Amino acid sequence: RGLNYDELINFVNESMLENIILTGKVGQRIYEGLIKDSGTHQNLYFTERFAEVIEIAGKVTRRGHSCLFSPAAASYDKFKNFEERGKLFKKLITET
């Protein structure tokens, strides 16, 4: 949809987030923006596979800490709507 994610990229770069896991077309744009703006981010991950997001989160989230899943955009490149994406997310979490 051609949205500008510069403000989000700046916010994430200045945040105290321990890990950032991205996926999808917009995730790729944000990933590239984070690398460009900060040069590096030691705990920055990108994957094409939605299921791998859950796998990575399981490995990098410390015991007793939380992992927030927050889509920054619609996932029409992979899902017909947010309900379908949500159902897959719930299924993957349940299976993990």
Side-chain angles (χ1 to χ4, degrees):
R1 298 185 326 189
L3 299 175
N4 185 318
Y5 290 94
D6 291 345
E7 191 172 335
L8 176 60
I9 290 167
N10 291 336
F11 174 81
V12 170
N13 269 334
E14 295 173 5
S15 73
M16 299 296 289
L17 295 172
E18 291 182 29
N19 300 292
I20 303 164
I21 308 166
L22 301 155
T23 190
K25 289 180 182 179
V26 170
Q28 180 70 42
R29 285 177 49 204
I30 294 170
Y31 178 86
E32 290 169 2
L34 289 169
I35 294 293
K36 179 183 164 208
D37 284 359
S38 69
T40 184
H41 193 292
Q42 89 181 49
N43 297 325
L44 180 61
Y45 306 89
F46 177 82
T47 177
E48 289 288 340
R49 293 182 32 245
F50 195 72
E52 193 173 10
V53 170
I54 308 304
E55 294 170 19
I56 294 168
K59 292 176 184 173
V60 301
T61 304
R62 292 185 291 151
R63 183 176 292 280
H65 286 237
S66 298
C67 179
L68 171 66
F69 291 93
S70 178
S75 303
Y76 295 126
D77 59 323
K78 298 194 187 272
F79 304 98
K80 66 180 178 182
N81 55 38
F82 72 91
E83 289 98 345
E84 183 181 57
R85 178 180 60 198
K87 285 179 185 176
L88 176 59
F89 169 75
K90 287 178 186 178
K91 178 181 182 279
L92 292 169
I93 291 295
T94 301
E95 291 174 352
T96 299

